Amino acid sequence: MNTRYCLSCSASGYSRVPITSGFEGRLADPSNTTACGYSPVDLYCISVYSWWACINYDITVVAFLAAADAGLFDEWQDQTQILTPEQFSNSFCNSIDSCQSSLPIAMEKWKLFFEKLMSITPVSDGSSVVDTLLHYLWDAHEASIGSAVHKYESRLNFLSDPEKQFNQDWATAINFIGDTRFRTDYETISSFLPHLPHRILRNGDRCPLITDFTAKQNMICQMLKWLNNLNTLSGGNLLTLWKIVTCSPEGRTICREILQSMIAGKTPSLVELLGILEPRAITTNCITDPLK
Protein backbone atom coordinates (compact mmCIF):
# COMPACT_ATOMS: atom_id res chain seq x y z
CA MET A 1 0.00 0.00 0.00
CA ASN A 2 1.27 3.49 -0.85
CA THR A 3 0.62 6.43 1.46
CA ARG A 4 0.65 9.99 0.15
CA TYR A 5 1.65 12.27 3.00
CA CYS A 6 -0.08 15.37 1.71
CA LEU A 7 0.67 18.78 3.10
CA SER A 8 -0.89 20.61 0.21
CA CYS A 9 -3.39 18.50 -1.67
CA SER A 10 -6.35 20.77 -2.28
CA ALA A 11 -7.17 22.10 -5.71
CA SER A 12 -6.16 25.59 -4.66
CA GLY A 13 -2.73 24.37 -3.61
CA TYR A 14 -3.23 24.47 0.15
CA SER A 15 -3.64 21.77 2.77
CA ARG A 16 -6.56 21.41 5.14
CA VAL A 17 -5.95 20.67 8.80
CA PRO A 18 -7.53 22.11 11.97
CA ILE A 19 -6.02 25.31 13.31
CA THR A 20 -4.74 24.76 16.84
CA SER A 21 -4.99 26.93 19.92
CA GLY A 22 -2.55 29.81 19.91
CA PHE A 23 -2.40 30.05 16.12
CA GLU A 24 -5.79 31.49 15.21
CA GLY A 25 -5.33 33.31 11.92
CA ARG A 26 -1.60 32.67 11.77
CA LEU A 27 -1.90 29.89 9.20
CA ALA A 28 -4.27 31.83 6.95
CA ASP A 29 -3.31 33.86 3.88
CA PRO A 30 -1.79 37.08 5.28
CA SER A 31 -1.82 38.73 1.85
CA ASN A 32 -5.66 38.64 1.80
CA THR A 33 -5.61 37.63 -1.88
CA THR A 34 -7.39 34.31 -1.21
CA ALA A 35 -9.96 32.95 1.27
CA CYS A 36 -7.45 30.41 2.55
CA GLY A 37 -7.83 30.04 6.31
CA TYR A 38 -10.80 32.37 6.68
CA SER A 39 -14.28 31.55 7.93
CA PRO A 40 -16.74 30.57 6.61
CA VAL A 41 -15.19 29.88 3.20
CA ASP A 42 -12.03 27.88 3.94
CA LEU A 43 -11.28 27.92 7.66
CA TYR A 44 -9.11 24.79 7.71
CA CYS A 45 -6.75 25.88 4.97
CA ILE A 46 -3.02 26.55 5.42
CA SER A 47 -1.50 29.21 3.20
CA VAL A 48 1.91 29.03 1.56
CA TYR A 49 2.19 32.76 2.29
CA SER A 50 1.97 32.19 6.06
CA TRP A 51 5.26 32.63 7.91
CA TRP A 52 4.11 30.28 10.67
CA ALA A 53 2.97 27.62 8.21
CA CYS A 54 6.25 27.68 6.29
CA ILE A 55 8.31 27.49 9.49
CA ASN A 56 6.23 24.55 10.73
CA TYR A 57 6.58 22.77 7.38
CA ASP A 58 10.36 22.78 7.66
CA ILE A 59 10.21 21.53 11.24
CA THR A 60 7.73 18.69 10.75
CA VAL A 61 8.83 17.43 7.34
CA VAL A 62 12.54 17.53 8.16
CA ALA A 63 11.90 15.73 11.47
CA PHE A 64 9.84 13.04 9.72
CA LEU A 65 12.40 12.45 6.99
CA ALA A 66 15.29 12.45 9.46
CA ALA A 67 13.45 9.81 11.49
CA ALA A 68 13.12 7.73 8.33
CA ASP A 69 16.81 8.23 7.55
CA ALA A 70 17.69 7.11 11.07
CA GLY A 71 15.82 3.83 10.47
CA LEU A 72 12.82 4.49 12.69
CA PHE A 73 10.41 3.23 10.02
CA ASP A 74 12.46 0.30 8.68
CA GLU A 75 9.66 -2.13 9.53
CA TRP A 76 6.97 0.10 8.02
CA GLN A 77 5.84 -1.51 4.79
CA ASP A 78 3.99 1.50 3.39
CA GLN A 79 5.62 3.88 0.94
CA THR A 80 5.22 7.51 1.89
CA GLN A 81 5.16 10.45 -0.48
CA ILE A 82 5.28 14.07 0.68
CA LEU A 83 3.55 16.45 -1.67
CA THR A 84 4.80 20.01 -1.70
CA PRO A 85 2.54 23.01 -2.41
CA GLU A 86 1.99 23.81 -6.07
CA GLN A 87 3.16 27.36 -5.44
CA PHE A 88 6.80 27.87 -4.44
CA SER A 89 7.38 24.12 -4.71
CA ASN A 90 11.14 24.70 -4.94
CA SER A 91 11.07 26.26 -1.46
CA PHE A 92 9.94 23.05 0.22
CA CYS A 93 12.07 19.90 0.35
CA ASN A 94 10.10 16.63 0.34
CA SER A 95 12.64 13.80 0.33
CA ILE A 96 15.64 12.74 2.39
CA ASP A 97 18.04 13.76 -0.37
CA SER A 98 16.42 17.15 -1.08
CA CYS A 99 16.22 18.05 2.62
CA GLN A 100 19.81 16.98 3.23
CA SER A 101 20.80 19.23 0.35
CA SER A 102 18.77 22.30 1.37
CA LEU A 103 18.73 21.92 5.18
CA PRO A 104 21.81 19.81 6.04
CA ILE A 105 22.32 21.00 9.63
CA ALA A 106 18.69 20.53 10.63
CA MET A 107 18.57 17.09 9.02
CA GLU A 108 21.78 16.04 10.79
CA LYS A 109 20.53 17.18 14.19
CA TRP A 110 17.09 15.60 13.81
CA LYS A 111 18.65 12.32 12.68
CA LEU A 112 20.95 12.40 15.73
CA PHE A 113 17.93 12.93 18.01
CA PHE A 114 16.12 9.89 16.58
CA GLU A 115 19.29 7.78 16.76
CA LYS A 116 19.57 8.69 20.45
CA LEU A 117 15.90 7.87 20.93
CA MET A 118 16.36 4.45 19.32
CA SER A 119 19.41 3.72 21.50
CA ILE A 120 17.43 3.70 24.74
CA THR A 121 17.43 0.36 26.56
CA PRO A 122 15.20 -0.94 29.39
CA VAL A 123 18.06 -0.42 31.87
CA SER A 124 18.59 3.23 30.96
CA ASP A 125 18.22 5.78 33.75
CA GLY A 126 14.80 7.26 33.00
CA SER A 127 15.22 10.78 34.34
CA SER A 128 18.68 11.40 32.91
CA VAL A 129 17.70 9.88 29.54
CA VAL A 130 14.65 12.13 29.22
CA ASP A 131 16.75 15.18 30.06
CA THR A 132 19.36 14.22 27.49
CA LEU A 133 16.77 13.50 24.81
CA LEU A 134 15.27 16.94 25.43
CA HIS A 135 18.69 18.44 24.72
CA TYR A 136 18.89 16.75 21.33
CA LEU A 137 15.23 17.47 20.56
CA TRP A 138 15.55 21.20 21.23
CA ASP A 139 18.92 21.37 19.47
CA ALA A 140 17.25 19.99 16.33
CA HIS A 141 14.18 22.20 16.75
CA GLU A 142 16.34 25.31 17.06
CA ALA A 143 18.32 24.30 13.96
CA SER A 144 15.12 23.97 11.93
CA ILE A 145 13.83 27.35 13.05
CA GLY A 146 17.22 29.02 12.61
CA SER A 147 17.41 28.06 8.94
CA ALA A 148 13.69 28.58 8.22
CA VAL A 149 13.61 32.11 9.69
CA HIS A 150 16.01 33.36 7.03
CA LYS A 151 14.49 31.22 4.30
CA TYR A 152 10.96 32.60 4.77
CA GLU A 153 11.81 36.14 5.84
CA SER A 154 9.85 37.61 2.90
CA ARG A 155 6.60 36.19 4.40
CA LEU A 156 6.92 38.73 7.22
CA ASN A 157 6.24 41.56 4.78
CA PHE A 158 2.54 40.62 4.72
CA LEU A 159 2.16 41.17 8.48
CA SER A 160 1.49 44.15 10.72
CA ASP A 161 4.53 45.55 12.51
CA PRO A 162 3.44 44.17 15.94
CA GLU A 163 2.83 40.67 14.51
CA LYS A 164 6.10 40.77 12.60
CA GLN A 165 7.90 41.72 15.80
CA PHE A 166 6.11 38.99 17.77
CA ASN A 167 7.20 36.36 15.21
CA GLN A 168 10.81 37.51 15.42
CA ASP A 169 10.62 37.60 19.23
CA TRP A 170 9.26 34.06 19.28
CA ALA A 171 11.99 32.74 16.98
CA THR A 172 14.68 34.18 19.28
CA ALA A 173 12.99 33.13 22.52
CA ILE A 174 12.78 29.50 21.37
CA ASN A 175 16.55 29.31 21.87
CA PHE A 176 16.27 30.52 25.48
CA ILE A 177 13.30 28.27 26.24
CA GLY A 178 14.74 25.21 24.51
CA ASP A 179 18.11 25.49 26.26
CA THR A 180 16.34 25.03 29.61
CA ARG A 181 15.10 21.70 28.18
CA PHE A 182 11.46 22.70 28.44
CA ARG A 183 9.29 19.59 28.69
CA THR A 184 7.42 18.72 25.50
CA ASP A 185 4.96 16.16 26.87
CA TYR A 186 1.28 16.56 26.03
CA GLU A 187 0.19 17.87 29.43
CA THR A 188 2.89 20.56 29.58
CA ILE A 189 2.37 21.76 26.02
CA SER A 190 -1.44 21.75 26.22
CA SER A 191 -1.34 23.81 29.40
CA PHE A 192 1.12 26.28 27.84
CA LEU A 193 -0.60 26.89 24.48
CA PRO A 194 -3.62 28.82 25.84
CA HIS A 195 -1.21 31.44 27.22
CA LEU A 196 0.16 32.32 23.78
CA PRO A 197 -1.47 35.29 21.99
CA HIS A 198 -4.68 33.82 20.62
CA ARG A 199 -4.80 35.99 17.50
CA ILE A 200 -2.57 37.85 15.08
CA LEU A 201 -1.33 41.15 16.52
CA ARG A 202 -2.71 44.23 14.80
CA ASN A 203 -1.33 47.72 14.35
CA GLY A 204 -1.77 49.53 17.66
CA ASP A 205 -1.34 46.39 19.81
CA ARG A 206 1.27 46.85 22.53
CA CYS A 207 2.14 44.10 24.98
CA PRO A 208 1.40 43.99 27.90
CA LEU A 209 -1.53 46.38 27.31
CA ILE A 210 -3.69 44.42 24.83
CA THR A 211 -7.22 44.53 26.22
CA ASP A 212 -8.56 41.27 24.70
CA PHE A 213 -5.52 39.28 25.87
CA THR A 214 -5.43 37.57 29.24
CA ALA A 215 -2.90 38.76 31.78
CA LYS A 216 -0.77 35.67 31.07
CA GLN A 217 -0.92 36.21 27.30
CA ASN A 218 0.19 39.81 27.76
CA MET A 219 3.02 38.77 30.07
CA ILE A 220 4.32 36.04 27.74
CA CYS A 221 4.15 38.43 24.80
CA GLN A 222 6.09 40.97 26.85
CA MET A 223 8.63 38.35 27.98
CA LEU A 224 9.38 37.25 24.42
CA LYS A 225 9.90 40.85 23.32
CA TRP A 226 12.09 41.64 26.34
CA LEU A 227 14.33 38.62 25.76
CA ASN A 228 14.84 39.49 22.11
CA ASN A 229 15.56 43.15 22.93
CA LEU A 230 18.11 42.25 25.62
CA ASN A 231 19.84 39.73 23.38
CA THR A 232 20.02 42.27 20.55
CA LEU A 233 21.34 44.90 22.94
CA SER A 234 24.09 42.49 24.08
CA GLY A 235 25.08 41.69 20.49
CA GLY A 236 24.02 38.07 21.03
CA ASN A 237 26.25 37.61 24.09
CA LEU A 238 23.26 37.02 26.36
CA LEU A 239 22.23 33.90 24.44
CA THR A 240 25.86 32.72 24.30
CA LEU A 241 26.16 32.91 28.10
CA TRP A 242 22.71 31.35 28.51
CA LYS A 243 23.76 28.32 26.45
CA ILE A 244 26.89 27.83 28.55
CA VAL A 245 25.04 28.09 31.86
CA THR A 246 22.19 25.78 30.80
CA CYS A 247 24.52 22.92 29.93
CA SER A 248 24.41 21.97 33.65
CA PRO A 249 21.30 20.90 35.61
CA GLU A 250 21.88 23.65 38.19
CA GLY A 251 22.20 26.27 35.47
CA ARG A 252 18.98 25.12 33.80
CA THR A 253 17.15 25.46 37.10
CA ILE A 254 18.38 29.04 37.48
CA CYS A 255 17.42 29.95 33.92
CA ARG A 256 13.96 28.41 34.30
CA GLU A 257 13.47 30.59 37.37
CA ILE A 258 14.52 33.65 35.35
CA LEU A 259 11.94 32.86 32.67
CA GLN A 260 9.24 32.24 35.29
CA SER A 261 9.94 35.58 36.93
CA MET A 262 9.72 37.31 33.56
CA ILE A 263 6.37 35.65 32.85
CA ALA A 264 5.25 36.95 36.25
CA GLY A 265 5.97 40.47 35.05
CA LYS A 266 9.49 41.11 36.33
CA THR A 267 11.73 42.51 33.59
CA PRO A 268 15.40 42.38 34.60
CA SER A 269 17.89 44.70 32.96
CA LEU A 270 20.69 43.41 30.78
CA VAL A 271 23.19 44.26 33.52
CA GLU A 272 21.21 42.22 36.04
CA LEU A 273 20.99 39.19 33.77
CA LEU A 274 24.67 39.32 32.85
CA GLY A 275 25.45 39.61 36.56
CA ILE A 276 23.62 36.35 37.17
CA LEU A 277 24.96 34.44 34.15
CA GLU A 278 28.59 35.53 33.78
CA PRO A 279 29.93 34.10 37.08
CA ARG A 280 28.11 30.81 36.47
CA ALA A 281 29.33 30.56 32.89
CA ILE A 282 32.92 30.63 34.17
CA THR A 283 32.38 27.83 36.70
CA THR A 284 29.90 25.64 34.76
CA ASN A 285 30.89 22.05 34.06
CA CYS A 286 28.79 20.51 31.31
CA ILE A 287 27.33 17.09 31.99
CA THR A 288 28.44 14.18 29.81
CA ASP A 289 25.79 12.64 27.58
CA PRO A 290 24.66 9.38 29.30
CA LEU A 291 23.54 7.98 25.93
CA LYS A 292 27.04 7.98 24.43
Side-chain angles (χ1 to χ4, degrees), residues 81-269:
Q81 180 183 7
I82 297 174
L83 303 181
T84 57
E86 293 174 5
Q87 292 176 290
F88 312 112
S89 58
N90 292 334
S91 298
F92 304 97
C93 64
N94 64 343
S95 67
I96 291 174
D97 287 342
S98 65
C99 287
Q100 284 178 336
S101 175
S102 60
L103 300 166
I105 297 176
M107 277 290 286
E108 178 185 356
K109 289 181 179 293
W110 277 113
K111 183 180 180 182
L112 179 59
F113 163 69
F114 286 109
E115 288 174 342
K116 295 291 183 179
L117 184 64
M118 295 165 63
S119 73
I120 296 173
T121 66
V123 297
S124 300
D125 180 352
S127 59
S128 90
V129 164
V130 169
D131 194 59
T132 301
L133 286 175
L134 283 169
H135 161 68
Y136 287 105
L137 173 68
W138 279 108
D139 195 36
H141 190 78
E142 291 172 27
S144 284
I145 291 181
S147 58
V149 163
H150 298 289
K151 184 178 174 184
Y152 301 114
E153 187 175 13
S154 63
R155 304 300 198 277
L156 294 173
N157 295 329
F158 295 111
L159 304 173
S160 69
D161 287 342
E163 176 67 14
K164 183 188 302 185
Q165 186 62 57
F166 171 72
N167 293 359
Q168 294 169 327
D169 295 340
W170 172 258
T172 297
I174 280 294
N175 295 283
F176 288 92
I177 296 169
D179 289 340
T180 67
R181 303 190 187 178
F182 183 79
R183 295 279 171 157
T184 57
D185 57 90
Y186 176 79
E187 290 185 1
T188 302
I189 295 297
S190 60
S191 64
F192 177 74
L193 279 178
H195 302 310
L196 293 177
H198 65 277
R199 61 163 175 81
I200 286 180
L201 274 66
R202 299 185 285 261
N203 286 323
D205 284 336
R206 291 182 58 193
C207 300
L209 304 172
I210 302 177
T211 56
D212 64 332
F213 279 12
T214 66
K216 185 74 74 168
Q217 286 174 330
N218 268 302
M219 285 300 99
I220 286 183
C221 183
Q222 174 73 359
M223 180 200 77
L224 301 181
K225 182 177 182 179
W226 194 251
L227 268 179
N228 192 15
N229 287 344
L230 291 181
N231 190 52
T232 300
L233 186 62
S234 72
N237 289 331
L238 179 61
L239 181 57
T240 299
L241 287 172
W242 187 276
K243 285 185 175 295
I244 295 172
V245 172
T246 53
C247 72
S248 74
E250 298 79 13
R252 288 193 291 277
T253 298
I254 290 168
C255 289
R256 289 189 195 107
E257 291 172 353
I258 291 173
L259 293 180
Q260 287 296 330
S261 68
M262 294 179 75
I263 292 174
K266 299 178 182 178
T267 50
S269 68

Side-chain angles (χ1 to χ4, degrees), residues 14 23 25-31 36 45-57 88 92 152 155-156 158-159 167 200:
Y14 307 100
F23 288 90
R26 290 196 166 93
L27 304 182
D29 181 359
S31 70
C36 181
C45 173
I46 298 177
S47 172
V48 292
Y49 293 100
S50 163
W51 183 87
W52 287 93
C54 291
I55 297 289
N56 285 330
Y57 180 98
F88 312 112
F92 304 97
Y152 301 114
R155 304 300 198 277
L156 294 173
F158 295 111
L159 304 173
N167 293 359
I200 286 180

